[in-house]
Amino acid sequence: MGYALIKQRPMVVAPRARLSSPVRAAVLPAHQKSVVAPLWQQLEREFRAGLVNSWDWVETWLNHYGDLVPHWFVVGMSADGPAGLALITRGLCHKRGPIALRTLHIGTAGEPHTDTVRVEHNRLLAEPHHRAAFAAAILREATQIDRRCDLIMLDAFVPEDADLFLAADPSFVAFPEPCH
C-alpha cells in the first residue's frame, strides 16, 4: 500500500528565490545517471539505505524501465554537502476508472501495470536531520517538473516517511492507494 498526494487548491509554487530551507534541491535529467551513481552510492553508505532505495535497486529498475519511463534525479544539498537523493518518475498508465491521470512517482514506480515491479518499504535517502526539509524540496521540485500533475504517488512509502511529505505542505492530502 502506498499513498497518493493530491493538492487541495490550485497548485501555486513559490518562486525559487524566496525559498529558505536548510536543503536546496537541484533536478538532474535522466542522462545524468553516471553523475548521480557515485553520489547515490556514497549517500546510501552514509545514511544506511534500505533495499529499494539502494543504488543496486534503482540502477536495475532504470536499466529495465529508464528508456520507457521519463525520470529525473533530485539532489538535495545542505551547507555540509549532499543531504539526499531521490528519483522522480512520470507514470505511464495510471487510471481512476475510465479517467487517465497524470502522475509523478517518488521512487522506482510509474512503469506499465502489466510489467510492474512491486516496491515495498520505500524510504527517503536523506541525511537524518534533513529528512523533513528534503521531503519538502522534493515536493517543490516535483511541482516544477509537472505543474499539471494530478497525483504525486508515494508508492509503498513507510508511514513515517510519507508523513514528512504531508507535513511539508498542508495543502496536500493523502489517501491510501494500491501501489506498484
Side-chain angles (χ1 to χ4, degrees):
M1 185 64 67
Y3 298 93
L5 300 180
I6 189 164
K7 196 86 163 165
Q8 287 283 50
R9 59 181 187 267
M11 204 169 280
V12 177
V13 180
R16 292 175 192 247
R18 287 192 223 159
L19 298 174
S20 62
S21 170
V23 175
R24 297 279 182 199
V27 175
L28 299 180
H31 70 270
Q32 294 283 330
K33 178 180 164 185
S34 62
V35 172
V36 170
L39 181 57
W40 198 297
Q41 292 167 324
Q42 172 195 337
L43 294 182
E44 80 177 59
R45 283 188 304 273
E46 289 178 22
F47 308 143
R48 298 190 180 163
L51 172 64
V52 298
N53 63 349
S54 70
W55 182 249
D56 287 340
W57 179 277
V58 172
E59 182 180 39
T60 300
W61 190 91
L62 289 171
N63 288 341
H64 284 83
Y65 301 110
D67 290 339
L68 178 65
V69 179
H71 61 280
W72 303 263
F73 300 99
V74 179
V75 181
M77 298 295 290
S78 72
D80 300 326
L85 254 165
L87 178 70
I88 295 180
T89 67
R90 177 173 286 130
L92 297 179
C93 305
H94 200 90
K95 287 188 171 190
R96 174 116 341 112
I99 308 293
L101 299 173
R102 294 176 301 257
T103 60
L104 291 177
H105 299 258
I106 311 301
T108 53
E111 68 273 18
H113 293 287
T114 55
D115 298 322
T116 193
V117 174
R118 305 263 180 226
V119 63
E120 293 293 332
H121 309 291
N122 208 353
R123 305 187 137 283
L124 280 175
L125 179 59
E127 188 174 3
H129 65 278
H130 287 307
R131 294 169 61 72
F134 186 52
I138 292 169
L139 283 180
R140 283 193 305 269
E141 296 305 326
T143 58
Q144 291 291 326
I145 287 170
D146 186 353
R147 290 176 186 234
R148 296 179 44 211
C149 175
D150 298 310
L151 297 173
I152 296 175
M153 307 293 293
L154 303 176
D155 297 278
F157 261 80
V158 296
E160 60 268 22
D161 284 6
D163 288 345
L164 295 172
F165 288 94
L166 287 172
D169 186 338
S171 67
F172 279 104
V173 293
F175 56 92
E177 177 80 9
C179 59
H180 64 286

